[in-house]
Amino acid sequence: ATLSLGIAYAQTPDLSDPPAIEGEVLGDHGSHTLRMGLGLSDTSPQYLSSRYFADILEQRTEGRITVNIFPNSQLGDDVQMMEMLQTGSLDMSYPSSSPATTYVQELAVFDLPFLLPSREAAIAVMQSETAQRMLDAFEGTGIKALTFSENGYRQLTNSARAVESPEDVAGLDVRGLSVRTMENPVHLSIWETLGANPTPMAFGELFSAMEQGVVDGQENPWSTILTSNFYEVQDYGSETRHVYTPFIMMMSQRTWDRLAPEYQELVQEAARQSAEYEIQLSTEYDDWAREQLEERGMQITRLDDDQVAAFQEAVQPVYDRWAPRIGEDLIAEIQSIVDATQ
Ligand code: KDG
C-alpha cells in the first residue's frame, strides 16, 4: 500500500448543502450521484474500501448510480453526518459505532474495554445475528444501517510521556493526561477511571487540538494515527488495544426508500463485499502502520501480558457501572460468540 502524506486535514463542515435527489426512483432514469461523507482521510482503509463500494455499485448499475466520497470530515463529524442522513441532506456515511449509540443503545457493548480479545472474535461478532439485530434496530431512526466493518483496536498516543501503566496515565507528581475521546459515555468513563482528564471531541477537530496542546493525547487504531498524520504532533504511542470498535456503513433512509428493490439489493451486496475488503485492508494496515509510525519517530511502547492485565484490572469499574445498563444478557451473548472462536 502506498501513502501520500500532507493531506489537508479538518475542513470547515458545510451544513448548508442542498438535499439529495428528490423525486423518481433512483436509477430508473438517467444516472444519480450519491454523496458519502467520511471522517477519515483518503489514505485510510475506510476510504479505499468506500471507493471499492462505489466502483462495484457503478459497475453493477451500469453507471446509473455513482458515489462521490468526501473524506477528512469535510461534510461534518460522525454526529453531524448521522443527523444529515436523518434529514436526507446526505446520502451515506461511515461513522464509528460509538457515537451511534445515541440511536441504538446496544451498540455500546462494543465500547466495553477488553471485551474482544482477538480480531477473529471481533469479526465473528460483527458477522453474527446479534450484530445484524443491532443494524436492524436502526429501523425508524431515519438511518438505514448496511454493514459493520473494522475500525479496529484503539491505542493511546500522547505528547507528554511514555505510558506503560495506568499510573502513567493518571500521573503521580504530574497531572493526569488530557485525552480526547469519541462522543460516547463509556469511553469517557474508561479514561476517567484511569485518572485521565477526558474530553469528548469531534474527530475533525482533533489534529489541531493536539497541535495547539488543548489535549495531550487521543486513542485510535494505528492506521488512523498514521493516515491522519497524528505522529506529527504525538511523540508517544502505547499498544494498549483497550477497545475494539467497528464502523457502520449507513445510508439515509430517504435515499434507501427511493431505490428500486433490485438496487437496494445491489447496494446491500456492495456494502457487504466492501466491508470484507475493508477488514482485510485494515488488518494488513495495523502492523504496517505501527512500523511506519516508528520510522517517523514515534516512540511506541509494547505492553506485556502483565502490563495489559494491569489496565484490564484498572478499568473493571467501567464494567460494574455500565454492564447493567448495556444489558448483562447482551454481554453474555457476545461472550459466547467470542468463546466459540477461542
Ligand atoms: O470516518 C470515521 C471517523 O469519523 C471516526 O469515526 C473515527 O474512530 C474515529 C474517531 O476517533 O472519531
Side-chain angles (χ1 to χ4, degrees):
T2 54
L3 181 76
S4 58
L5 297 170
I7 301 137
Y9 195 64
Q11 296 167 34
T12 318
D14 179 5
L15 300 179
S16 61
D17 288 336
I21 322 118
E22 292 294 330
E24 79 274 35
V25 173
L26 300 187
D28 261 8
H29 308 286
S31 59
H32 294 284
T33 301
L34 304 183
R35 294 159 70 248
M36 181 180 198
L38 307 179
L40 299 185
S41 87
D42 64 0
T43 51
S44 63
Q46 183 182 61
Y47 177 87
L48 299 175
S49 65
S50 298
R51 274 253 56 87
Y52 183 60
F53 168 82
D55 289 347
I56 300 176
L57 201 58
E58 187 169 343
Q59 221 176 55
R60 303 220 175 119
T61 60
E62 292 166 345
R64 288 192 183 88
I65 300 182
T66 52
V67 184
N68 259 355
I69 307 169
F70 299 84
N72 286 319
S73 309
Q74 280 174 65
L75 303 183
D77 60 46
D78 284 357
V79 172
Q80 291 165 329
M81 288 195 282
M82 283 189 280
E83 286 167 6
M84 290 162 79
L85 296 180
Q86 289 185 286
T87 62
S89 61
L90 178 66
D91 298 303
M92 295 189 73
S93 190
Y94 215 155
S96 291
S97 59
S98 311
T101 51
T102 50
Y103 298 96
V104 173
Q105 236 192 313
E106 292 75 22
L107 287 169
V109 78
F110 287 105
D111 300 312
L112 288 171
F114 302 104
L115 181 74
L116 304 174
S118 68
R119 190 169 252 117
E120 292 67 40
I123 293 170
V125 169
M126 289 193 290
Q127 294 173 345
S128 68
E129 278 172 28
T130 311
Q132 184 58 47
R133 235 170 45 219
M134 294 182 203
L135 297 180
D136 294 344
F138 277 89
E139 172 112 48
T141 63
I143 292 173
K144 171 74 185 170
L146 295 169
T147 184
F148 281 101
S149 76
E150 170 164 307
N151 190 353
Y153 283 105
R154 302 180 77 89
Q155 327 280 12
L156 176 68
T157 69
N158 80 93
S159 57
R161 53 184 179 262
V163 169
E164 52 184 47
S165 67
E167 289 73 28
D168 293 335
V169 174
L172 284 172
D173 41 7
V174 284
R175 66 184 170 80
L177 291 177
S178 56
V179 177
R180 173 269 178 178
T181 72
M182 290 191 282
E183 292 162 283
N184 173 289
V186 184
H187 286 254
L188 205 57
S189 195
I190 294 173
W191 294 99
E192 271 166 6
T193 304
L194 288 170
N197 297 311
T199 312
M201 188 187 291
F203 184 81
E205 289 162 22
L206 178 53
F207 185 92
S208 59
M210 292 188 295
E211 192 174 37
Q212 290 162 20
V214 176
V215 291
D216 298 317
Q218 62 85 45
E219 41 85 58
N220 253 294
W222 295 130
S223 62
T224 300
I225 295 163
L226 178 69
T227 59
S228 291
N229 302 341
F230 289 173
Y231 60 89
E232 289 176 3
V233 290
Q234 298 278 275
D235 290 338
Y236 305 99
S238 299
E239 196 148 56
T240 47
R241 292 167 62 90
H242 52 278
V243 68
Y244 179 106
T245 56
F247 289 131
I248 304 176
M249 187 189 266
M250 299 176 170
M251 186 175 260
S252 165
Q253 185 72 45
R254 290 190 182 203
T255 308
W256 176 261
D257 289 343
R258 289 204 311 279
L259 290 169
E262 59 270 32
Y263 283 92
Q264 289 181 344
E265 260 173 55
L266 288 178
V267 165
Q268 185 59 72
E269 179 56 15
R272 198 192 57 74
Q273 284 187 11
S274 70
E276 248 173 50
Y277 176 61
E278 198 272 346
I279 291 170
Q280 213 181 310
L281 260 184
S282 173
T283 305
E284 283 171 20
Y285 258 58
D286 206 16
D287 287 343
W288 174 78
R290 191 193 51 212
E291 284 162 26
Q292 290 289 319
L293 289 166
E294 284 180 322
E295 271 179 36
R296 285 166 169 74
M298 187 180 263
Q299 183 189 320
I300 294 181
T301 307
R302 269 41 163 220
L303 305 181
D304 64 27
D305 290 351
D306 288 345
Q307 289 171 318
V308 172
F311 275 96
Q312 229 163 328
E313 207 178 304
V315 295
Q316 192 52 47
V318 177
Y319 270 86
D320 301 340
R321 177 167 170 203
W322 288 98
R325 292 161 81 169
I326 294 169
E328 307 281 4
D329 289 351
L330 175 61
I331 296 168
E333 209 174 311
I334 299 285
Q335 202 60 60
S336 71
I337 301 168
V338 170
D339 291 346
T341 65
Q342 302 303 297

